[in-house]
């Protein structure tokens, strides 16, 4: 009688690791969940707790410019997440050649560099004394939106210097917009 041979490959190791990670996540979720003490009737489901309902509170409405910057950041984050997800799908695709995989990996690195540069530019512009700022970079162009009461030439020049120091965008492709 022939002994069965056990071959452990990459797929089996990956599946085992994923299963263990799932088990650990379920255990952590179970132990970290709040414990509800049973009420007097022994029922653990209490009627006085209403999950998922919202409570409105009075607050001042934010200014229009604040709304703009908050919405712009959300839109930019959503667009970047979609781009990253698309690149991940392309990299993980089964029918991709090695050359296409290298190009996709380089695109992913480029997107991550742009995201990092945008954050750095926004921080440096805010450090110059501007109230708020959103930067949009695509590799060839730079668009900067700043919140200010009046943008003079010296301030615009300092913003351009920051962008030129952080990116390889030509000066003629830098656009600065003002929101009051």
């Amino acid at each position: 009688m022939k002994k069965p041979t056990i071959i452990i490959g990459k797929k089996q190791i990956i599946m085992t690791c994923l299963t263990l990670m799932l088990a650990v996540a379920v255990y952590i979720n179970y132990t970290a969940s709040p414990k509800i003490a049973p009420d007097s009737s022994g029922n653990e489901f209490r009627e006085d707790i209403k999950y998922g309902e919202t409570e409105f509170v009075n607050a001042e409405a934010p200014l229009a410019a604040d709304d703009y910057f908050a919405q712009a950041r959300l839109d930019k984050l959503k667009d970047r997440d979609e781009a990253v997800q698309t690149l991940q799908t392309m990299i993980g695709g089964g029918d991709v050649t090695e050359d296409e995989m290298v190009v996709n990996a380089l695109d992913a690195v480029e997107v991550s560099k742009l995201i990092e540069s945008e954050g750095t530019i926004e921080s440096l512009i805010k450090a110059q004394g501007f109230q708020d700022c959103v930067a949009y970079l695509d590799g060839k162009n730079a668009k900067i939106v700043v919140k200010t009461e009046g943008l003079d030439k010296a301030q615009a020049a300092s913003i351009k210097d920051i962008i030129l120091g952080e990116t390889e965008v030509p000066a003629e492709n830098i656009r600065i917009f003002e929101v009051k």
Side-chain angles (χ1 to χ4, degrees):
M1 185 170 197
K2 192 174 184 183
K3 277 188 174 178
T5 59
I6 299 175
I7 299 174
I8 299 177
K10 289 181 186 177
K11 289 182 182 179
Q12 288 80 14
I13 293 172
I14 291 172
M15 290 301 292
T16 304
C17 290
L18 289 175
T19 304
L20 287 174
M21 287 174 39
L22 180 63
V24 169
V26 168
Y27 175 75
I28 290 172
N29 189 24
Y30 174 74
T31 58
S33 65
K35 306 291 187 241
I36 299 176
D39 58 5
S40 60
S41 66
N43 186 5
E44 288 189 13
F45 300 105
R46 297 186 352 207
E47 297 292 326
D48 60 333
I49 298 177
K50 297 177 182 172
Y51 296 103
E53 291 188 9
T54 59
E55 182 178 331
F56 294 104
V57 295
N58 291 335
E60 291 184 28
L63 301 172
D66 292 337
D67 280 345
Y68 171 78
F69 286 102
Q71 187 63 42
R73 282 191 180 88
L74 287 174
D75 291 342
K76 184 170 75 168
L77 181 63
K78 186 181 98 185
D79 292 341
R80 292 291 187 201
D81 287 344
E82 289 174 0
V84 168
Q85 187 175 12
T86 302
L87 286 171
Q88 287 176 342
T89 303
M90 292 168 67
I91 289 173
D95 57 347
V96 179
T97 66
E98 190 173 321
D99 291 337
E100 291 172 334
M101 202 134 151
V102 169
V103 170
N104 292 338
L106 291 174
D107 288 344
V109 168
E110 192 64 33
V111 167
S112 68
K113 285 181 182 178
L114 289 175
I115 292 170
E116 183 180 339
S117 294
E118 285 175 347
T120 304
I121 288 170
E122 289 173 3
S123 297
L124 291 173
I125 291 174
K126 286 179 187 176
Q128 290 284 326
F130 292 97
Q131 295 175 5
D132 209 346
C133 171
V134 177
Y136 299 97
L137 301 176
D138 64 7
K140 298 175 186 168
N141 299 306
K143 295 176 183 84
I144 308 298
V145 181
V146 293
K147 180 179 178 184
T148 181
E149 294 299 319
L151 189 66
D152 60 19
K153 289 183 180 183
Q155 290 172 325
S158 69
I159 292 173
K160 276 191 175 185
D161 284 342
I162 291 171
I163 296 168
L164 292 172
E166 289 296 319
T167 65
E168 296 176 6
V169 174
E172 61 270 5
N173 292 348
I174 298 174
R175 307 231 354 169
I176 301 171
F177 301 94
E178 180 181 1
V179 174
K180 295 183 181 183

